[in-house]
Amino acid sequence: MDKAVERAIECIRKRYGEPLTLTDIAESASLSRFYFTRLFKEETGLTPGRFLSAIRIHQAKRLIESTSMSITEISFAVGYNSMGSFTNTFTASVGVSPSRFRRLSRDGGDGLPGPEPDAGSGRGSVAGTISLPEGHGNARVYLGAFRTPVVQHPSAASAVVDVPGGRPSCYSLENVPEGTWHLLAVAVADGVGPDPRAQRTSLVGSRTVTVTADGITSAAVRLRPSGPADPPVLLALPALEPPADVRAHPGCASVTPLPAPAGRRQAAGHLRVASAAPAPSRS
């Protein structure tokens, strides 16, 4: 990654609670605003302002989950001067309001937001494999199709897939609206050795896919350790607790979208846990 962008990201992550401007961030990179904005987006897929907003909402999530600070205190701590603006941005990005997110985090995550596809589009599917980098044990992976390179509300379709260490797993996202989507994955993977849970790692993966109506798009997703330039996860997700045992099965079944009943549109792919085994074939 470009060193100037690295300096800018370090500035954002350290000073997100301040009233940062684009000029402030560009100066931290020692570049002009115009050139810096173009370079930053080329390197991260986001504008500096969008990256800053994502960091602020992510930090707000962390404070809501781990502290007793009031929502108002948190909004100011992460750089918002307006409680209304914070609440609207948080709700749009996370999928639930700050107060509901606090309740969900304390109650175990029931009632998390589901996919919300474009009601007017034709639909297809995305299917393939998810693989882990070497040196990791079992992982639980959240995978979704998004309009932007950020895991934020809403997804078009999503699934949770268990992946065994050293072997890829099959996945499928059904009823994805036609168009171009960011296929984004986030995971928690166990380490290897006598105490795999003590060496857990956050992993990410991404690629762009084009979905056609009634078609199946094949896409392999390879995960890697997350880095400072990766946008944080904003969507309210279930706890990605790697399972102790995952069975790997060879081969992946094709995914064929089922036709919707007459007069009804197909629903989005629902959040579900998929095993490493492929779906049984139909005779």
Side-chain angles (χ1 to χ4, degrees):
M1 170 166 289
D2 187 273
K3 295 297 184 182
V5 175
E6 288 184 356
R7 292 195 300 270
I9 290 174
E10 183 179 2
C11 170
I12 290 172
R13 291 186 178 275
K14 285 183 177 179
R15 299 174 57 190
Y16 63 85
E18 302 176 20
L20 280 176
T21 65
L22 177 58
T23 299
D24 295 329
I25 302 172
E27 286 179 351
S28 74
S30 302
L31 296 173
S32 69
R33 288 177 48 177
F34 176 78
Y35 178 71
F36 166 69
T37 300
R38 186 179 67 181
L39 178 63
F40 192 95
K41 189 169 184 179
E42 288 175 353
E43 292 281 343
T44 67
L46 299 172
T47 65
R50 184 67 190 91
F51 195 93
L52 171 61
S53 177
I55 293 296
R56 284 172 167 168
I57 295 302
H58 177 72
Q59 292 298 330
K61 286 176 60 183
R62 183 183 63 82
L63 292 173
I64 289 172
E65 289 179 305
S66 62
T67 75
S68 59
M69 294 171 65
S70 71
I71 301 300
T72 300
E73 290 172 328
I74 290 172
S75 70
F76 286 105
V78 299
Y80 284 85
N81 293 323
S82 164
M83 180 63 181
S85 176
F86 168 72
T87 300
N88 290 338
T89 303
F90 187 100
T91 304
S93 300
V94 179
V96 293
S97 68
S99 56
R100 186 181 175 200
F101 182 75
R102 173 161 275 171
R103 292 195 299 271
L104 291 172
S105 65
R106 291 173 176 173
D107 296 341
D110 292 335
L112 296 175
E116 292 185 7
D118 181 352
S121 299
R123 283 165 173 70
S125 299
V126 183
T129 59
I130 301 175
S131 56
L132 308 178
E134 293 183 5
H136 292 84
N138 297 338
R140 177 155 285 183
V141 183
Y142 170 87
L143 179 75
F146 297 87
R147 286 294 187 193
T148 72
V150 182
V151 179
Q152 65 178 23
H153 183 72
S155 65
S158 60
V160 174
V161 182
D162 290 334
V163 182
R167 298 284 297 275
S169 282
C170 304
Y171 78 88
S172 67
L173 299 180
E174 301 179 43
N175 301 323
V176 182
E178 61 184 336
T180 300
W181 296 92
H182 294 275
L183 190 61
L184 306 177
V186 293
V188 174
D190 279 338
V192 294
D195 189 7
R197 295 191 177 190
Q199 303 176 43
R200 283 185 170 168
T201 305
S202 295
L203 303 174
V204 297
S206 65
R207 60 177 303 170
T208 302
V209 296
T210 299
V211 176
T212 57
D214 302 318
I216 301 173
T217 300
S218 177
V221 179
R222 295 176 177 82
L223 303 186
R224 58 174 175 78
S226 59
D230 292 311
V233 174
L234 305 186
L235 181 66
L237 294 181
L240 298 177
E241 181 75 16
D245 181 46
V246 181
R247 295 183 182 181
H249 296 263
C252 288
S254 296
V255 179
T256 303
L258 298 177
R264 294 178 58 188
R265 68 176 180 86
Q266 289 177 314
H270 294 289
L271 188 66
R272 63 194 186 282
V273 176
S275 71
S281 60
R282 296 176 182 176
S283 56

